[in-house]
Amino acid sequence: MFSKLSDDEFKKFAKLIHEMSGIFLKDSKSTLLSNRLRKRLIEKKIDSFDDYYRYLETSKDMDEITEMLNAVSTNETYFFRNIKHFDTLFDSIIPELISKRRLPVTIWSAGCSSGEEPYTLCMIAKEKGLLNKGLIKIDASDINTSVINEAKSGIYDEKRLRSTDKYYEDKYFKRTATGLFKLDQEIIDYVNFFKLNLITDKVDKKYDIILCRNVMIYFDRDDQKKVVAKFYESLNNDSYFFVGHSESLYFIDTRFEYKKVLDSPVYYKK
Ligand SMILES: C[S@@+](CC[C@H](N)C(=O)[O-])C[C@H]1O[C@@H](n2cnc3c(N)ncnc32)[C@H](O)[C@@H]1O
């Protein structure tokens, strides 16, 4: 058994995690952090948080740093989360971009967790006949390699389908022998997943639509500002940016223009 993280240890880990990922942990997250780090100590057969911290600092073992960040990030997500955004995209924004012949329409789900968000886009695009004609391209990234692997496996428990219509469930998922749901392989293959750290990595593509929903809530204001500026640069002109329904860029000085499109708040780059 390991003791709880001391205040000093918590501060050191919180600082390291913040520098590496932008994830900002309030003091109240000490128990959560010690529970999550404990798994790494067991895996690495290291006896104390202090030794683990020293190991991370001195070894510069990038694989272990990745595993540590995998253990501490919060990955809650589900299919068809905030359906209004998808209605706005498919009933207004995407048809408008297609009518301007901006083809293919390029979409990036940034902080995609285990893939439910890009796969929701992909299933709806399939329903609208956009996949076969190659009218849409979907990229999806996360800092956490373990959720990216989950996404690529396409296997989900029923909690993740809690907002999924029976129509989509029956058409795009097969029940496995263990009662899980396996997503249709065509949908899995269509989405291009990659690891990307929004704080430290460069983005070398331009998109027409970026979704970064329920990700920046874990960052402090300075990092939010930097990441929003990065998104702005990663969009073409006449393009759109979506944040989660409880998020806003209200306190961030940004060049985006705020718009309501079919009841969804969106950020527009002229
Ligand atoms: C709560 S999930 C959101 C998933 C999905 N976008 C949604 O709204 O349902 C937040 C995701 O952000 C990822 N994340 C956190 N910090 C990140 C960073 N610096 N770069 C990229 N992804 C990050 C986490 O690994 C996690 O999978």
Side-chain angles (χ1 to χ4, degrees):
M1 267 306 275
F2 309 98
S3 54
K4 258 190 69 184
L5 272 176
S6 69
D7 287 352
D8 267 5
E9 286 166 342
F10 172 76
K11 283 196 173 74
K12 283 200 289 191
F13 276 105
K15 184 166 179 283
L16 182 70
I17 291 163
H18 181 239
E19 282 165 5
M20 301 242 157
S21 68
I23 297 169
F24 176 74
L25 295 163
K26 290 194 211 121
D27 292 351
S28 58
K29 300 284 181 191
S30 180
T31 308
L32 178 84
L33 183 62
S34 50
N35 291 339
R36 290 181 173 184
L37 289 178
R38 201 163 283 141
K39 296 180 198 144
R40 294 312 311 151
L41 269 67
I42 294 169
E43 180 74 27
K44 295 298 286 179
K45 302 190 172 45
I46 292 179
D47 292 334
S48 72
F49 289 115
D50 216 32
D51 287 349
Y52 182 58
Y53 181 82
R54 224 167 299 127
Y55 175 75
L56 290 176
E57 257 211 322
T58 53
S59 71
K60 304 275 181 248
D61 176 346
M62 285 317 287
D63 289 343
E64 184 50 33
I65 287 174
T66 298
E67 291 298 341
M68 190 264 295
L69 294 178
N70 286 355
V72 302
S73 63
T74 299
N75 310 110
E76 165 59 12
T77 186
Y78 50 92
F79 291 98
F80 295 90
R81 184 176 196 175
N82 195 5
I83 187 69
K84 261 199 219 160
H85 284 171
F86 298 100
D87 293 342
T88 297
L89 280 167
F90 285 95
D91 295 343
S92 173
I93 290 176
I94 294 173
E96 179 201 306
L97 293 175
I98 290 176
S99 75
K100 292 178 181 163
R101 307 212 60 76
R102 289 260 297 272
L103 303 175
V105 174
T106 51
I107 309 185
W108 175 24
S109 163
C112 64
S113 187
S114 32
E116 289 84 334
E117 179 176 280
Y119 286 148
T120 301
L121 289 166
C122 199
M123 286 187 280
I124 303 174
K126 169 83 184 167
E127 288 296 308
K128 305 270 179 195
L130 304 178
L131 290 200
N132 303 342
K133 297 185 203 138
L135 296 178
I136 198 166
K137 284 254 171 300
I138 304 171
D139 278 357
S141 68
D142 204 282
I143 192 174
N144 182 326
T145 52
S146 126
V147 288
I148 292 177
N149 288 334
E150 267 180 56
K152 288 180 178 165
S153 79
I155 297 174
Y156 296 95
D157 67 30
E158 66 181 331
K159 258 194 354 242
R160 305 308 181 96
L161 280 82
R162 61 184 180 268
S163 293
T164 304
D165 272 1
K166 188 93 179 72
Y167 172 81
Y168 280 94
E169 184 182 317
D170 291 346
K171 185 160 173 187
Y172 292 99
F173 294 88
K174 279 213 166 58
R175 239 10 219 264
T176 69
T178 52
L180 298 171
F181 291 82
K182 169 84 168 89
L183 182 62
D184 186 279
Q185 197 61 41
E186 183 192 357
I187 302 297
I188 297 175
D189 292 342
Y190 204 86
V191 177
N192 172 38
F193 287 99
F194 52 96
K195 180 188 174 196
L196 187 130
N197 182 339
L198 291 166
I199 300 292
T200 57
D201 292 342
K202 280 218 320 244
V203 182
D204 47 20
K205 270 170 90 172
K206 293 253 187 191
Y207 293 91
D208 298 310
I209 296 162
I210 297 176
L211 287 85
C212 184
R213 306 187 311 161
N214 310 300
V215 176
M216 290 186 293
I217 39 170
Y218 301 104
F219 299 166
D220 64 17
R221 190 65 51 79
D222 278 353
D223 285 327
Q224 288 175 350
K225 218 168 157 177
K226 281 185 214 145
V227 171
V228 168
K230 204 178 266 195
F231 286 132
Y232 189 88
E233 292 308 324
S234 313
L235 282 164
N236 294 313
N237 291 335
D238 185 20
S239 291
Y240 296 86
F241 176 53
F242 285 73
V243 295
H245 85 284
S246 58
E247 300 172 90
S248 143
L249 305 189
Y250 186 76
F251 296 104
I252 295 175
D253 184 20
T254 158
R255 285 170 286 168
F256 281 113
E257 191 180 295
Y258 174 84
K259 277 191 179 189
K260 270 237 159 145
V261 183
L262 295 188
D263 228 17
S264 291
V266 297
Y267 294 92
Y268 177 66
K269 176 173 174 178
K270 267 196 202 137

